[in-house]
Amino acid sequence: MSTTEDTKSAKAAELGALQAALAAEHAAVYGYGVVGGRIDEARRGEARSAYDAHRARRDELARAVRDLGGRPEVSAAAYALPFAVKDSAAAVQLAADLEERVAGVYSDLVRASSGDRRRSAAEALREAAVRAVRWRGESVAFPGLAERAAPSATPAAATPSPS
């Protein structure tokens, strides 16, 4: 492969990872809307803070996609949740699952990027991992790695529902 082909391939991989992270952020924003509707008052501020953080990351990712010449992934009208969220305990579980999913896509973005974008992706991965620990009450050795994902932490949390 030539240097030009290598550069194009790296840019395409980075753009794909950015789009995946953007899609996960769209799903997280949607999911936190559900979490906020079911979470106990004592944790509502924490849910609101996470919602705001995901909105800010979503907007940052959309700019990054445009900077690479791409067209940002748009949010679906609705997303299929991995389970019914009928009470505060289920809302806490959903929040933890959302954070684990987001950490996974940021792990991919860390691998696909370099420089400032890699630092930003690593920071987003760290933030999602910390939020997941707060929601779940326990940590994992390597947040964002698919090999450690629990069966309940499926990509379904980021799947658009059929229209």
Side-chain angles (χ1 to χ4, degrees):
M1 244 194 226
S2 72
T3 303
T4 303
E5 290 172 344
D6 289 343
T7 302
K8 286 182 183 179
S9 178
K11 182 179 175 182
E14 184 174 16
L15 184 57
L18 281 167
Q19 291 283 29
L22 178 57
E25 289 293 8
H26 283 311
V29 168
Y30 177 89
Y32 270 103
V34 174
V35 169
R38 297 286 188 210
I39 198 81
D40 284 340
E41 183 67 35
R43 296 197 79 181
R44 195 159 290 146
E46 187 177 353
R48 178 62 187 201
S49 177
Y51 173 80
D52 291 342
H54 286 292
R55 286 181 45 189
R57 288 284 181 193
R58 176 200 63 194
D59 296 347
E60 177 185 321
L61 288 165
R63 284 188 298 275
V65 167
R66 283 191 294 274
D67 288 348
L68 284 180
R71 185 172 171 195
E73 181 81 25
V74 297
S75 178
Y79 292 83
L81 299 175
F83 50 84
V85 182
K86 296 181 179 182
D87 57 19
S88 185
V92 168
Q93 175 67 41
L94 178 59
D97 286 0
L98 290 169
E99 296 299 347
E100 288 175 357
R101 164 113 172 90
V102 168
V105 295
Y106 277 115
S107 175
D108 293 340
L109 184 55
V110 167
R111 283 190 294 274
S113 60
S114 61
D116 288 341
R117 191 163 291 132
R118 174 177 265 170
R119 277 187 288 284
S120 179
E123 180 181 316
L125 167 58
R126 180 188 55 78
E127 290 171 0
V130 168
R131 282 191 298 266
V133 167
R134 286 185 181 142
W135 287 117
R136 199 168 302 289
E138 60 186 20
S139 65
V140 295
F142 299 103
L145 294 181
E147 295 84 3
R148 62 93 187 134
S152 66
T154 65
T159 304
S161 65
S163 299

